[in-house]
């Protein structure tokens, strides 16, 4: 798997963001509550990871590329995708390429 890091020109922005005041904790939104079932209804296809990936928990962003085989033998149109993280406290975003 390939690890990708931010470009050096984004460092001043990142430092400014990290040094910004926290704000009023009372205005912090609650964490989302994920339903047991899909938000999109019954899925046509479910692609689970065969092996879990554990983040080091070192406070650093980590960008990883995962290739998940679909087993499809012909091209399909994708209408919607739902990603379900195993650790909801550690997952913040997921760029996706189909």
């Amino acid at each position: 798997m390939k690890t990708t890091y931010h470009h050096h020109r984004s460092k001043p922005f990142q430092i400014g963001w990290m040094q910004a005041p926290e704000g009023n904790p009372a205005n912090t939104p609650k964490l989302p509550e994920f339903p047991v079932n899909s938000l999109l209804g019954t899925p046509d296809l479910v692609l689970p990871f065969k092996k879990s990936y554990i983040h080091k928990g070192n406070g650093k962003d980590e960008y990883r590329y995962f290739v998940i085989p679909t087993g499809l033998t012909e091209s399909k149109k994708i209408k919607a995708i739902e990603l379900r993280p195993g650790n909801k406290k550690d997952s913040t975003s997921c760029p996706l390429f189909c």
Side-chain angles (χ1 to χ4, degrees), residues 8-25:
H8 70 277
R9 283 185 236 157
S10 67
K11 190 173 182 178
F13 170 78
Q14 292 171 352
I15 290 172
W17 178 78
M18 289 185 296
Q19 294 174 343
E22 181 181 346
N24 185 347

Side-chain angles (χ1 to χ4, degrees), residues 7 26 32 39-41 46 48 50 57-58 60 62 64 75 82 95:
H7 194 274
L39 292 172
L40 303 172
V46 176
K50 291 190 183 216
N58 56 8
K60 295 182 181 180
E62 189 171 336
R64 307 292 265 170
S75 294
E82 180 179 48

